[in-house]
Amino acid sequence: AKNFVLGISLMMIVLFTLFMLVYGGINGYVGLRAWQWLQVVVPLQVPSGVYWVGFWLVAGAPIVARIIAGRAPRALTGVLSQIGDYWFAVFFYALLLLVAMDLMRLGLRLSGIMSVGQLDARLFVGATGAAIALVLVGVLAYGTWRARTPVITDYEITIDKPAGRHRELTAVLISDTHLGYTNGIARVRELGTLSNDLKPDLVLIAGDLLDDDLQPFLAADMASELGRLEAPLGVYAIMGNHDVRTGELPIFRAEIE
């Protein structure tokens, strides 16, 4: 058993190291391209040391937030979590757009449409960088609005089996709310109102109620707001992979029961 535990621990260390190498490498690529763009469009040059320290603080925020969750002051964890949530979106879309930009530049050169001499590197970097920045701002704005605007989708399902005296049931399914520092108690109140307005017979919560950290859920007393969910046949929930750490599971269950 001891060897098994050591093997699992070693595997986790290896996987975490590989993840950090890949994550760090991709962030380095994104950061380098952003730095090159800033050198073109910003008249007063930012010292490279200041830029890279700031960049890695932002890029490291989502990792640090998850490591210190439940172990550091909630204010610090909350700030890092919100920075990290937005950075993951920037990171993902910036990577896709930057790779597309570099492939386009390579294609133009290889095809001879634009030779190295004809291609104004500063103009290309400035124009494509500005386009990417505008797309990222638009994506973040739309994503923030979309995340704060829940959508209700209706499904009708016919099940060929008896249900006692019930000829039909109305069920509300709530999933992946990721309650925490970004989605706070206001989101719980909104979901409670939306669900109760539908007058369901039962409510099902299909996991990932929390966003990896139990502390903001407890501090804001979100369980009390969840207690406002109304359903004659009950409210049922299962755990997801983002809900709680093993040691916190009894506390979480006690809060929501």
Side-chain angles (χ1 to χ4, degrees):
K2 184 177 180 181
N3 290 336
F4 177 76
V5 172
L6 288 175
I8 293 295
S9 299
L10 180 60
M11 183 183 299
M12 292 299 294
I13 291 172
V14 171
L15 291 175
F16 181 75
T17 302
L18 289 174
F19 169 79
M20 290 303 297
L21 288 172
V22 173
Y23 182 72
I26 296 175
N27 270 289
Y29 166 71
V30 172
L32 178 61
R33 287 291 182 258
W35 170 246
Q36 291 170 339
W37 178 64
L38 286 175
Q39 288 183 305
V40 172
V41 300
V42 178
L44 298 176
Q45 295 301 308
V46 178
S48 61
V50 174
Y51 168 81
W52 282 109
V53 167
F55 176 85
W56 286 114
L57 285 174
V58 172
I63 308 300
V64 175
R66 278 157 177 76
I67 292 174
I68 69 173
R71 304 182 181 93
R74 286 189 295 107
L76 174 62
T77 307
V79 170
L80 291 176
S81 294
Q82 293 188 57
I83 293 173
D85 288 344
Y86 279 96
W87 176 250
F88 265 138
V90 171
F91 167 79
F92 178 76
Y93 288 104
L95 175 61
L96 295 179
L97 294 168
L98 286 169
V99 168
M101 179 194 74
D102 282 343
L103 289 175
M104 180 175 67
R105 178 164 53 182
L106 179 62
L108 289 173
R109 287 179 175 177
L110 292 178
S111 65
I113 295 175
M114 277 189 167
S115 66
V116 176
Q118 293 174 316
L119 184 61
D120 187 332
R122 289 179 62 85
L123 178 61
F124 184 87
V125 170
T128 54
I132 289 173
L134 287 173
V135 170
L136 290 176
V137 170
V139 166
L140 289 179
Y142 175 76
T144 300
W145 171 78
R146 199 73 184 83
R148 299 176 187 277
T149 311
V151 174
I152 299 174
T153 305
D154 294 321
Y155 295 96
E156 290 189 5
I157 303 173
T158 301
I159 302 175
D160 187 16
K161 65 184 295 185
R165 61 184 177 83
H166 298 284
R167 301 294 297 172
E168 63 179 29
L169 293 173
T170 299
V172 166
L173 175 67
I174 300 172
S175 177
D176 295 277
T177 53
H178 289 275
L179 301 176
Y181 295 105
T182 302
N183 291 330
I185 195 166
R187 171 55 55 84
V188 187
R189 293 193 184 105
E190 184 179 18
L191 289 174
T193 300
L194 288 172
S195 176
N196 291 342
D197 287 347
L198 294 172
K199 295 180 170 49
D201 296 299
L202 72 161
V203 174
L204 308 174
I205 301 175
D208 284 352
L209 185 66
L210 304 186
D211 193 32
D212 294 309
D213 190 355
L214 181 60
Q215 297 309 309
F217 182 82
L218 297 176
D221 195 20
M222 297 186 198
S224 294
E225 289 297 325
L226 285 174
R228 293 178 52 244
L229 290 170
E230 299 172 356
L233 299 181
V235 179
Y236 303 89
I238 60 171
M239 302 295 104
N241 63 305
H242 283 280
D243 278 317
V244 290
R245 296 182 174 89
T246 304
E248 297 174 327
L249 189 55
I251 301 174
F252 181 48
R253 282 178 171 165
E255 283 289 313
I256 63 175
E257 285 180 352

